[in-house]
Amino acid sequence: MLDWLNDDQRALRDMAETFARKEIEPIANQIDLDEETPHSLVEKTAELGLFGLYTAEEYGGVGADLASVCLVSEEIAKASPAYAGMLTVQMVLCPKTIEILGTEEQKQRLLPGIISGERLFAYSQSEPGGAANIASHLTKAVPDGKGWRLDGSKLFCTQGEAKSILVMCKTKDGDGNEGYGCVVVDQEDEGFTRLPHEDKLGWRGTNTGPLSFDNIYLDADDILGDLLTGGFSHRPANMANLLAHCAVSVGCAQGLFDKTLEQVGNRNLYGKAMSELQPVAYWMAEAHAKIAACRALLYDTVRAFEAGAMAPAQQNVCKTFICETAFDVCVKLVQLWGGSGIMNSTGVNRYMRDARAQCVAEGSSEIHYAIIANQLLHGQPTLVPSNIVKQA
Ligand SMILES: Cc1cc2nc3c(=O)[nH]c(=O)nc-3n(C[C@H](O)[C@H](O)[C@H](O)COP(=O)(O)OP(=O)(O)OC[C@H]3O[C@@H](n4cnc5c(N)ncnc54)[C@H](O)[C@@H]3O)c2cc1C
């Protein structure tokens, strides 16, 4: 499989595999237990150039393709899906959004900090009325004569402790025109509050929590793209990030599979290796087949994305199928560890917990099923059919 990889992609995958094995694997369980990623790991990731992997060379990045990004995400996720989830936000979602929406000056000013790891970003869209239900969102930017003012609150912002946050918000200009756009909020901005982060089931290596914006002043430097019409024009960044997210699920299942294969080969039960028990052998074969199918679907979609030839809702099919399958695989693999799979100290069940978080983050499976259904039934790969949007 993946026999089409070129030498650069193979070398990158090998580099990420070595990095994950040497630097992440030994601390991955501690990251999960403490719910904290050591800053030294962020520094090492930056030294390897991974935060700049998907950013154009003219801004100091590597300019690699999405297949390379997915290969790296998979390898890191084999050791720590939680850290890989954090990495995709820094490697894909935030820098690509800035690259698409930003002015030349903003790109030159903001991107080097992400690449060096000195100015990490978070991406904040979700609100209490439903993350994908944008009509219900209340966070809003309005003009104040000089610049704009931002008010509102957000939920579930991962890496809310990052120096800067890309905040998706409703907008309304002085003429009453309404839109949806993206602004940059910094930790030190007056009116910004980061509330205590959540204690969560999975993705425990990253902080996820609510944010509040009270009359924050935004000048032109803080506005990315057109605040009225720019809201969804960074969609390629969201789509690329969604596929990198799928790669994390593939790596998550593969990481636990590799550990389990060793376990069932080494563990003796009833005087023979566990792997000789027929149901165990079947489960391993089934898990292998499902992971291989997920990987094939992922890279088929990645290549279609890069060729500009994705079928409508293809990324949504990818997201639901891969994330849910990876979770199912992890549930069965945890079972093969018996009591050891339930003990947090073994670092086995964190894969299953991270796999579940993967099914909700980047849009829950049902949201993606709704989009797929709308494509099938109404020819619209969006959450709400256009006739309903018009009525709303
Ligand atoms: C670990 C983690 C990290 C996250 N990080 C971030 C982040 O950094 N930034 C950010 O903005 N958000 C983040 N999120 C939020 C995430 O994007 C949302 O939780 C997700 O999109 C689901 O939205 P919701 O929680 O508002 O669920 P809701 O929209 O309230 O939905 C609840 C449930 O209703 C069902 N449902 C919803 N809509 C539909 C529909 N159209 N059709 C059928 N069923 C539906 C689904 O079962 C869904 O799970 C994160 C979430 C997690 C778990």
Coordinates of all heavy atoms in Angstrom, one line a residue, residues 123-128 130-132 155-158 200 202-203 208 357 360-364 366-367 370 383, ligand 1:
Y123 N -8.0 27.8 17.2 CA -9.0 28.1 16.2 C -10.4 27.9 16.9 O -10.6 26.8 17.4 CB -8.9 27.1 15.0 CG -9.9 27.4 13.9 CD1 -9.5 28.1 12.8 CD2 -11.2 26.8 13.9 CE1 -10.4 28.4 11.7 CE2 -12.0 27.0 12.9 CZ -11.6 27.8 11.8 OH -12.5 28.0 10.7
S124 N -11.1 29.0 17.0 CA -12.3 28.9 17.8 C -13.6 29.2 17.0 O -13.8 30.4 16.6 CB -12.1 29.9 19.0 OG -13.2 29.8 19.9
Q125 N -14.4 28.2 16.9 CA -15.7 28.4 16.2 C -16.9 28.0 17.1 O -17.9 28.7 17.1 CB -15.7 27.6 14.9 CG -17.1 27.6 14.2 CD -17.1 26.9 12.9 OE1 -16.2 27.0 12.1 NE2 -18.2 26.1 12.6
S126 N -16.8 26.9 17.9 CA -17.9 26.3 18.6 C -18.5 27.2 19.6 O -17.9 27.9 20.3 CB -17.4 25.0 19.3 OG -16.9 24.1 18.3
E127 N -19.9 27.2 19.6 CA -20.6 27.9 20.6 C -21.7 27.0 21.2 O -22.0 26.0 20.6 CB -21.2 29.2 19.9 CG -20.2 30.1 19.5 CD -20.7 31.5 19.2 OE1 -21.8 31.9 19.7 OE2 -20.0 32.3 18.5
P128 N -22.3 27.5 22.3 CA -23.3 26.6 23.0 C -24.5 26.2 22.1 O -25.0 25.1 22.3 CB -23.8 27.5 24.1 CG -22.7 28.5 24.4 CD -22.0 28.7 23.1
G130 N -24.5 25.0 19.3 CA -24.1 24.0 18.3 C -22.9 24.5 17.5 O -23.1 25.5 16.8
A131 N -21.8 23.7 17.4 CA -20.6 24.2 16.7 C -20.9 24.4 15.3 O -20.5 25.5 14.7 CB -19.5 23.1 16.9
A132 N -21.6 23.5 14.6 CA -21.8 23.6 13.2 C -23.1 24.5 12.9 O -23.2 24.9 11.7 CB -22.0 22.2 12.6
L155 N -17.0 27.9 23.1 CA -16.8 26.7 23.9 C -15.7 25.8 23.2 O -15.4 26.0 22.0 CB -18.1 25.8 23.9 CG -19.3 26.2 24.7 CD1 -20.3 25.2 24.6 CD2 -18.9 26.4 26.2
F156 N -15.2 24.9 24.0 CA -14.3 23.9 23.5 C -13.2 24.3 22.6 O -12.8 23.7 21.6 CB -15.2 22.9 22.6 CG -16.4 22.4 23.2 CD1 -17.6 22.3 22.5 CD2 -16.5 22.0 24.5 CE1 -18.8 21.8 23.0 CE2 -17.7 21.6 25.1 CZ -18.8 21.5 24.3
C157 N -12.5 25.4 23.0 CA -11.4 25.9 22.2 C -10.1 25.1 22.6 O -9.7 25.3 23.8 CB -11.2 27.4 22.3 SG -9.8 28.0 21.3
T158 N -9.6 24.4 21.7 CA -8.4 23.6 22.0 C -7.2 24.5 21.9 O -7.1 25.3 20.9 CB -8.3 22.4 21.1 OG1 -9.4 21.5 21.3 CG2 -7.0 21.6 21.3
K200 N -11.2 16.2 30.3 CA -11.9 15.5 29.2 C -11.5 14.0 29.0 O -10.5 13.6 29.5 CB -11.8 16.3 27.9 CG -10.5 16.6 27.4 CD -10.7 17.6 26.2 CE -9.4 17.9 25.4 NZ -8.3 18.4 26.2
G202 N -10.9 12.3 26.1 CA -9.8 12.0 25.2 C -9.1 13.3 24.8 O -9.5 14.4 25.3
W203 N -8.1 13.2 24.0 CA -7.3 14.4 23.6 C -6.8 15.1 24.8 O -6.8 16.3 24.9 CB -8.1 15.3 22.8 CG -8.1 15.2 21.3 CD1 -8.0 14.0 20.6 CD2 -8.2 16.2 20.3 NE1 -8.0 14.2 19.2 CE2 -8.2 15.6 19.0 CE3 -8.4 17.6 20.4 CZ2 -8.3 16.3 17.8 CZ3 -8.5 18.3 19.2 CH2 -8.5 17.7 17.9
T208 N -8.6 22.2 26.4 CA -9.8 22.6 25.7 C -10.8 23.3 26.6 O -11.1 22.7 27.7 CB -10.5 21.3 25.0 OG1 -9.5 20.7 24.2 CG2 -11.7 21.7 24.2
A357 N -12.8 10.9 20.9 CA -12.7 12.4 20.8 C -12.6 12.8 19.3 O -13.2 13.8 18.8 CB -11.5 13.0 21.5
V360 N -15.9 13.3 17.5 CA -16.6 14.5 17.8 C -15.9 15.8 17.3 O -16.5 16.7 16.7 CB -17.0 14.6 19.3 CG1 -17.7 15.9 19.6 CG2 -17.8 13.4 19.7
A361 N -14.6 15.9 17.6 CA -13.9 17.1 17.2 C -13.9 17.1 15.6 O -14.0 16.1 15.0 CB -12.4 16.9 17.7
E362 N -13.8 18.3 15.1 CA -14.0 18.6 13.6 C -15.3 18.1 13.1 O -15.5 17.8 12.0 CB -12.9 17.8 12.9 CG -11.5 18.4 13.0 CD -11.4 19.8 12.6 OE1 -11.9 20.2 11.5 OE2 -10.7 20.6 13.3
G363 N -16.3 18.3 14.0 CA -17.7 17.9 13.6 C -18.1 16.5 13.9 O -17.4 15.6 13.5
S364 N -19.1 16.3 14.7 CA -19.5 15.0 15.1 C -19.9 14.2 13.9 O -20.3 14.7 12.9 CB -20.6 15.0 16.2 OG -21.8 15.6 15.6
E366 N -22.5 12.6 13.2 CA -23.9 12.9 12.7 C -24.0 14.1 11.9 O -24.7 14.2 10.9 CB -24.9 13.0 13.9 CG -25.1 11.7 14.7 CD -23.9 11.3 15.5 OE1 -23.0 12.2 15.8 OE2 -23.7 10.2 15.9
I367 N -23.2 15.1 12.2 CA -23.1 16.3 11.4 C -22.6 16.0 10.0 O -23.2 16.4 9.0 CB -22.2 17.4 12.1 CG1 -22.9 17.9 13.4 CG2 -21.9 18.6 11.1 CD1 -22.0 18.8 14.3
A370 N -25.2 14.1 8.1 CA -26.3 15.1 7.6 C -25.8 15.7 6.3 O -26.6 15.9 5.4 CB -26.6 16.1 8.7
L383 N -24.6 21.6 5.3 CA -25.3 21.1 6.4 C -26.8 21.2 6.2 O -27.6 20.4 6.6 CB -24.9 21.8 7.7 CG -25.4 21.2 9.0 CD1 -25.0 19.7 9.1 CD2 -24.8 22.0 10.2
Ligands
LIG1 C1 -11.6 17.2 22.0 C2 -12.3 18.3 21.3 C3 -11.6 19.4 20.9 C4 -12.3 20.4 20.2 N1 -11.6 21.5 19.8 C5 -12.3 22.6 19.2 C6 -11.6 23.7 18.8 O1 -10.4 23.9 19.0 N2 -12.3 24.8 18.3 C7 -13.6 24.7 18.1 O2 -14.2 25.6 17.6 N3 -14.3 23.6 18.5 C8 -13.7 22.5 19.0 N4 -14.4 21.4 19.4 C9 -15.8 21.3 19.3 C10 -16.3 20.4 18.2 O3 -16.0 20.9 16.9 C11 -17.8 20.2 18.5 O4 -17.9 19.6 19.7 C12 -18.4 19.3 17.4 O5 -18.4 20.0 16.2 C13 -19.9 19.0 17.8 O6 -20.5 20.2 18.1 P1 -21.3 20.4 19.5 O7 -20.4 19.9 20.6 O8 -21.7 21.8 19.5 O9 -22.5 19.4 19.4 P2 -24.0 19.8 18.9 O10 -24.0 20.5 17.7 O11 -24.7 20.4 20.1 O12 -24.6 18.4 18.6 C14 -24.9 17.4 19.7 C15 -25.1 16.1 19.0 O13 -26.3 16.3 18.2 C16 -26.2 15.6 17.0 N5 -26.3 16.5 15.8 C17 -25.8 17.8 15.7 N6 -26.1 18.3 14.5 C18 -26.7 17.4 13.8 C19 -27.3 17.3 12.5 N7 -27.2 18.3 11.7 N8 -27.9 16.2 12.1 C20 -28.0 15.1 13.0 N9 -27.5 15.1 14.2 C21 -26.9 16.2 14.6 C22 -24.9 14.9 17.0 O14 -25.0 13.6 17.6 C23 -24.1 15.7 17.9 O15 -23.0 15.0 18.5 C24 -13.7 20.3 20.0 C25 -14.4 19.2 20.5 C26 -13.7 18.2 21.1 C27 -14.5 17.0 21.6

